[in-house]
Every structure is written in C-alpha cells, then in structure tokens.
Amino acid sequence: MFARFSRALPRSQLAGPPIRPFYRYTATGLGASMWFWIFYKAKEDGPVLLGWKHPWDH
C-alpha cells in the first residue's frame, strides 16, 4: 500500500518557501522555551498530579 508513496521526490518538490532567519530562530527559541517550561512544571507539579505527594506537604 505504501509502495507508491515511497518513491523519492525531486528536491524541488520537497523544498518549501524560503523562510527569513529571524522567523526561523524566533520559532526555534519559542519552541524550546515552551518545552523547558513544560518539563519544569512536570518536575514541580508531577508528583502531586500522580498522587505521590500531597500539595500541602513541602
């Protein structure tokens, strides 16, 4: 079924529109900060959400 989709396409068909470096670096930075925030909150709130610790126990 996937055999017809597995043929390699020419590079001209794979390339998207050119993206300005400012937008590419901004998107990368915002994406990285989002993941850092998610992992930070998981570290801080994860035990409470999983029931391993009560919120009032510090």
Side-chain angles (χ1 to χ4, degrees):
M1 177 175 169
F2 296 106
R4 64 182 168 161
F5 299 116
S6 65
R7 287 186 229 127
L9 293 174
R11 186 150 178 87
S12 62
Q13 290 181 355
L14 292 176
I19 299 172
R20 291 176 50 192
F22 172 75
Y23 295 119
R24 188 178 67 212
Y25 293 128
T26 302
T28 302
L30 288 173
S33 64
M34 175 194 68
W35 283 110
F36 289 139
W37 177 254
I38 288 172
F39 288 132
Y40 171 76
K41 292 305 284 182
K43 178 185 165 201
E44 294 292 319
D45 299 338
V48 175
L49 290 174
L50 294 174
W52 296 341
K53 187 170 119 177
H54 290 289
W56 53 84
D57 294 338
H58 288 283

